[in-house]
Amino acid sequence: MAARERRGVLEARIHDDPGRFRVLTGDRPTGPLHLGHYFGTLHNRVRLQNLGVSMFVVIADYQVLTDRDVADRLTEHVEGLVLDYLAVGVDPGRSTVFTHSAVPALNQLLLPFLSLVSVAELGRNPTVKDEITHSRQSSVSGLMFTYPAHQAADILFCKANLVPVGQDQLPHVELTRTIARRFNGRYAGAGASVFPEPEALLSDAPLLLGTDGTKMSKSRGNAIALSATADETARLIRGARTDAERHITYDPETRPEVSSLVLLAALCLGRDPREVADEIGAGGAAALKRTTTEAVNEFLAPIRRRRAEYARDRAGIRRLLNSGNERANAVAETTLAEVRAAMKAHY
Ligand code: TRP
């Protein structure tokens, strides 16, 4: 609730003085980004970037190993993420895209950070608890248990003060604030600080459901990927779950599946979902699916076109990642030097 109210205040400040903000956001490279990501976070990142906020985007490759033994098809997924970012408008001239495994100084921050949190605190993290419940692993790895502290390193290595996230990431931002505060308290001189206490910028995106009526997710086969073809998109929407009532309305509480399709069409059309539902009305599920398919395919067409263009230049993608990693390394090394100086570990 507090984070939601805070959003208005933060948005006003960002508009007044975007140069005061540095954003860190990111994704695990586990598969292609989909429409849920687009309306949930991607369009917001591009908006902030275009307002002039300094932005770092982490491709969190180590974090893939939290709920699986091997990071499968990692290179493909990392390159795919870069393509998705470029296609939606992330501009590598203005934003730094990097993989955290390629930035040793970032990872070294994990050690002092871990010393600042208790095992009990790590164990209370509701997002981690939920992920442990849903993971198919037979035991909980040390990485699963501690990755929120690693995520704090993702955020603090570049001294980000703003983290645009969905609800599920709030506990991690809270832990990051705790770590920053404790580090400053323990090691920075009186009145001085090494790290800012970053704030979460909670997204106002309404929840999009997958085509089976559950949360849209890469791993559930219910998501429309940005990179899907128009035919795949049509097939997914044709197979989407609806309900027995013929007349189409927008009522997310009582008709979640139908309403999610209406919402998807409305988001793509930039219109109010109630209006879209009213127009379809007696046309029923068939008309709803037709409208949604057309809206999605039209909306994604330019994004898909740009993605296909970038995909032709694989060497260009590698160059871009290399230069992002180089920039991130320079920033991380400066921060680590400050951390070591504050800890009197400068030899
Ligand atoms: N945990 C995030 C997710 O699963 C990905 C992530 C890694 C991240 N490091 C981050 C998000 C730092 C925000 C800030 O989506």
Side-chain angles (χ1 to χ4, degrees):
M1 213 55 217
R4 191 157 291 135
E5 279 163 25
R6 189 86 185 117
R7 190 174 70 225
V9 177
L10 284 170
E11 285 291 350
R13 286 209 193 137
I14 294 165
H15 277 267
D16 281 353
D17 192 1
R20 271 190 16 205
F21 290 92
R22 169 163 287 180
V23 161
L24 181 292
T25 74
D27 302 280
R28 300 181 193 193
T30 53
L33 297 178
H34 53 65
L35 283 167
H37 295 115
Y38 183 85
F39 291 111
T41 81
L42 295 173
H43 86 294
N44 198 30
R45 291 180 197 174
V46 174
R47 181 183 68 91
L48 292 168
Q49 165 196 276
N50 294 345
L51 282 171
V53 171
S54 143
M55 192 161 69
F56 282 72
V57 184
V58 61
I59 298 180
D61 48 357
Y62 274 136
Q63 216 182 86
V64 172
L65 297 171
T66 49
D67 64 353
R68 62 202 80 195
D69 296 327
V70 281
D72 200 22
R73 297 194 289 163
L74 195 55
T75 309
E76 179 191 328
H77 288 151
V78 168
E79 291 178 359
L81 276 191
V82 177
L83 288 173
D84 287 337
Y85 294 155
L86 291 171
V88 301
V90 171
D91 171 0
R94 286 190 274 181
S95 298
T96 303
V97 177
F98 69 101
T99 49
H100 62 183
S101 73
V103 185
L106 179 161
N107 292 293
Q108 190 171 329
L109 294 176
L110 180 60
L111 295 173
F113 285 5
L114 279 176
S115 77
L116 296 167
V117 294
S118 70
V119 169
E121 276 172 315
L122 290 170
R124 276 199 295 271
N125 188 304
T127 299
V128 173
K129 279 207 238 173
D130 195 55
E131 284 165 345
I132 288 171
T133 311
H134 290 102
S135 115
R136 282 153 294 187
Q137 300 287 77
S138 57
S139 64
V140 178
S141 75
L143 184 63
M144 170 65 106
F145 201 66
T146 55
Y147 88 80
H150 190 225
Q151 191 157 324
D154 292 343
I155 296 169
L156 294 178
F157 93 97
C158 65
K159 302 192 179 182
N161 54 7
L162 196 62
V163 190
V165 284
Q167 194 81 31
D168 65 318
Q169 299 292 304
L170 288 179
H172 304 346
V173 178
E174 208 43 56
L175 183 76
T176 304
R177 292 170 63 81
T178 303
I179 288 174
R181 195 162 52 241
R182 289 183 188 159
F183 187 92
N184 292 336
R186 190 170 298 178
Y187 297 111
S193 75
V194 174
F195 294 114
E197 279 184 49
E199 288 205 59
L201 181 66
L202 198 61
S203 101
D204 60 352
L207 188 69
L208 267 184
L209 299 177
T211 50
D212 60 354
T214 72
K215 184 180 174 223
M216 195 182 279
S217 155
K218 290 178 225 179
S219 55
R220 297 187 196 190
N222 66 359
I224 300 167
L226 302 179
S227 54
T229 65
D231 285 348
E232 282 162 357
T233 303
R235 189 158 11 92
L236 268 167
I237 296 177
R238 205 176 313 121
R241 185 194 292 256
T242 53
D243 58 32
E245 208 174 313
R246 177 159 175 93
H247 199 90
I248 297 304
T249 54
Y250 182 66
D251 195 347
E253 293 291 313
T254 57
R255 304 184 71 187
E257 298 95 347
V258 161
S259 299
S260 187
L261 284 172
V262 172
L263 176 62
L264 181 52
L267 287 168
C268 290
L269 294 165
R271 296 185 54 194
D272 183 83
R274 271 165 207 87
E275 259 178 52
V276 173
D278 279 351
E279 265 173 35
I280 299 168
L288 170 61
K289 290 182 177 179
R290 214 176 313 118
T291 301
T292 307
T293 302
E294 273 169 29
V296 169
N297 278 336
E298 201 155 307
F299 179 79
L300 288 180
I303 292 176
R304 288 167 172 167
R305 214 169 21 245
R306 276 197 297 276
R307 196 182 190 284
E309 261 164 49
Y310 286 117
R312 266 187 254 123
D313 181 15
R314 190 150 175 254
I317 299 298
R318 307 297 295 194
R319 268 199 307 279
L320 199 151
L321 257 182
N322 288 340
S323 81
N325 285 339
E326 224 169 273
R327 262 189 281 174
N329 269 302
V331 172
E333 277 157 26
T334 304
T335 302
L336 181 62
E338 274 180 68
V339 162
R340 294 178 63 196
M343 296 176 77
K344 312 259 185 286
H346 231 179
Y347 318 112

